[in-house]
């Protein structure tokens, strides 16, 4: 972890008409809360399911939860980002939030977030959308490689542009506006009906923090709550190049240059978080090979076992959590810090 120039990673606010579009849509559909969504969640996770995700990892994680069979086998959707209710500080129940991106180029369906309860093992998807002031809306075609929630604001990594922001106060339930969920093959407002590819919940984007200069890639995002002031962390995945970076901003987020920035010195980093004076890096390998957890403490580097396809990182209940992405191996898992 080598300090580097902060200036290239500066962000500027570009709200545009996003907030107006979101307010228009929320006013017509009506919002609900994360607690209510989880109370009626329609999918089931399995504790210690999909063990193939762990590969040769020893010791195994202290706990892990597998997505349901339908989400295990799909080749259309891939989980990427992970955050939790403790990151928010304002959600009243334990929850994980995992982002997924739609892979096929044809029939783009954008990105979604799963809200998952570690207590009930129930979860529910919500589609993230971009609304316009006239009340229309559509999918968001990005990778969503990382997410982090602070207060009511959900930050989503946009690889080439920076950070998209979604206000969880605008968690919209289509069932409050109409008796059905519309056409599962359509998105947006058509006549007097709302459609979201069959999803019950949508969350419109409300803000945007864009890169001030072209070049930096925003692959993942997390929050360090271990110090006196929480910090937002972003970083870049590079396939075969150890030159990927991480940077930290104070929250409440205000853009500009980060507090500090580092070159990580490792390729294939899918997620990173600083916590208690250490850096934790989630390193991928392949769809059949275990990844690694790299822990930097000053000049010391520790390599720890990790599952296959590890992604973004978050901390909840004193454990480090991540999510895995590959077909048949999709789990949220926790290990000791």
């Amino acid at each position: 972890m080598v300090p580097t120039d902060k200036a290239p990673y500066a962000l500027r606010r570009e709200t545009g008409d996003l907030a107006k579009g979101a307010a228009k849509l929320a006013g017509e559909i009506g919002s609900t809360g994360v607690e209510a969504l989880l109370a009626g969640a329609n999918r089931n996770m399995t504790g210690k399911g999909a063990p193939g995700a762990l590969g040769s990892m020893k010791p195994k994680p202290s706990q892990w939860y597998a997505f349901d069979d339908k989400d295990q086998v799909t080749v259309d959707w891939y989980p990427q980002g992970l955050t939790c209710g403790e990151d928010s500080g304002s959600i009243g129940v334990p929850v994980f939030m995992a982002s997924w991106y739609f892979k096929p180029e044809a029939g783009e369906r954008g990105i979604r977030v799963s809200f998952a309860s570690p207590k009930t093992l129930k979860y529910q998807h919500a589609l993230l959308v971009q609304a316009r002031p006239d009340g229309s809306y559509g999918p968001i075609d990005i990778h969503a490689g990382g997410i982090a929630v602070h207060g009511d604001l959900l930050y989503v990594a946009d690889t080439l542009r920076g950070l998209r922001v979604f206000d969880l106060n605008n968690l919209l339930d289509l069932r409050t506006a109409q008796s059905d969920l519309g056409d599962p093959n359509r998105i947006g407002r058509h006549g007097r009906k709302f459609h979201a590819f069959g999803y019950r919940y949508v969350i419109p984007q409300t803000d945007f923090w864009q890169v001030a200069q072209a070049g930096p890639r925003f692959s993942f995002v997390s929050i360090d709550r271990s110090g006196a002031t929480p910090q937002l962390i972003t970083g870049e995945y590079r396939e075969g190049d150890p030159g990927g970076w991480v940077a930290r901003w104070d929250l409440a987020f205000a853009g500009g240059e980060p507090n500090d920035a580092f070159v990580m010195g490792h390729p294939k980093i899918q997620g990173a978080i600083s916590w208690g004076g250490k850096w934790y890096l989630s390193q991928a390998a392949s769809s059949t090979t275990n990844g690694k957890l790299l822990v930097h403490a000053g000049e010391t580097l520790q390599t720890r076992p990790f599952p296959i396809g590890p992604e973004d990182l978050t901390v909840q209940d004193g454990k480090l959590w991540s999510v895995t992405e590959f077909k048949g191996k999709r789990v949220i898992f926790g290990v000791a810090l």
Side-chain angles (χ1 to χ4, degrees), residues 148-208:
V149 63
H150 181 68
D152 297 318
L153 299 182
L154 180 69
Y155 298 90
V156 179
D158 183 328
T159 309
L160 299 178
R161 300 176 185 89
L163 294 171
R164 294 179 183 252
V165 185
F166 301 79
D167 189 336
L168 295 182
N169 288 308
N170 292 329
L171 175 56
L172 310 183
D173 183 353
L174 297 188
R175 284 273 172 84
T176 64
Q178 58 198 37
S179 60
D180 60 45
L181 300 182
D183 188 334
N185 296 309
R186 303 183 82 178
I187 180 71
R189 182 193 193 117
H190 300 275
R192 295 184 178 182
K193 293 203 71 171
F194 300 98
H195 307 271
F197 298 129
Y199 289 90
R200 176 175 177 175
Y201 299 93
V202 298
I203 310 174
Q205 184 178 346
T206 51
D207 215 341
F208 209 161

Side-chain angles (χ1 to χ4, degrees), residues 37 43 45 50 61 71 82 88 117 140 143 155 159 179 219 243 270 288 295 304 311-312 319:
L37 176 149
R43 292 179 178 265
M45 302 190 89
D71 284 332
L82 188 71
S88 166
S117 169
I140 298 172
H143 190 71
Y155 298 90
T159 309
S179 60
S219 304
Q270 298 275 31
T288 58
V295 185
R304 291 167 51 183
E311 293 282 329
D312 211 20
K319 297 184 181 72

Side-chain angles (χ1 to χ4, degrees), residues 38-263:
L38 288 175
N42 65 348
R43 292 179 178 265
N44 296 295
M45 302 190 89
T46 302
K48 298 191 175 180
L54 307 184
S56 61
M57 182 180 177
K58 293 181 181 179
K60 290 181 171 61
S62 58
Q63 184 57 274
W64 72 92
Y65 310 104
F67 293 100
D68 73 8
D69 290 344
K70 185 176 180 180
D71 284 332
Q72 290 292 342
V73 301
T74 180
V75 293
D76 292 340
W77 290 96
Y78 288 79
Q80 297 289 298
L82 188 71
T83 187
C84 65
E86 287 185 17
D87 280 343
S88 166
S90 64
I91 298 175
V93 294
V95 63
F96 290 107
M97 288 158 269
S99 66
W100 304 61
Y101 78 100
F102 190 78
K103 192 169 186 177
E105 293 184 7
E108 176 60 55
R109 298 199 170 198
I111 54 176
R112 68 187 187 189
V113 169
S114 302
F115 293 83
S117 169
K119 285 194 170 182
T120 66
L121 299 189
K122 305 283 284 187
Y123 72 102
Q124 177 94 35
H125 298 312
L127 192 70
L128 303 185
V129 299
Q130 184 168 326
R132 292 170 282 277
D134 65 358
S136 61
Y137 59 98
I140 298 172
D141 180 13
I142 62 173
H143 190 71
I147 59 174
V149 63
H150 181 68
D152 297 318
L153 299 182
L154 180 69
Y155 298 90
V156 179
D158 183 328
T159 309
L160 299 178
R161 300 176 185 89
L163 294 171
R164 294 179 183 252
V165 185
F166 301 79
D167 189 336
L168 295 182
N169 288 308
N170 292 329
L171 175 56
L172 310 183
D173 183 353
L174 297 188
R175 284 273 172 84
T176 64
Q178 58 198 37
S179 60
D180 60 45
L181 300 182
D183 188 334
N185 296 309
R186 303 183 82 178
I187 180 71
R189 182 193 193 117
H190 300 275
R192 295 184 178 182
K193 293 203 71 171
F194 300 98
H195 307 271
F197 298 129
Y199 289 90
R200 176 175 177 175
Y201 299 93
V202 298
I203 310 174
Q205 184 178 346
T206 51
D207 215 341
F208 209 161
W209 292 94
Q210 292 191 264
V211 291
Q213 60 186 57
R217 289 174 174 257
F218 283 67
S219 304
F220 48 81
V221 57
S222 61
I223 293 178
D224 180 352
R225 294 177 280 105
S226 64
T229 303
Q231 295 187 92
L232 186 78
I233 298 162
T234 63
E236 177 187 22
Y237 171 91
R238 292 193 183 184
E239 177 68 23
D241 178 354
W245 59 273
V246 287
R248 295 183 288 201
W249 281 264
D250 283 337
L251 285 167
F253 192 58
E257 291 186 7
N259 295 332
D260 53 15
F262 303 86
V263 173

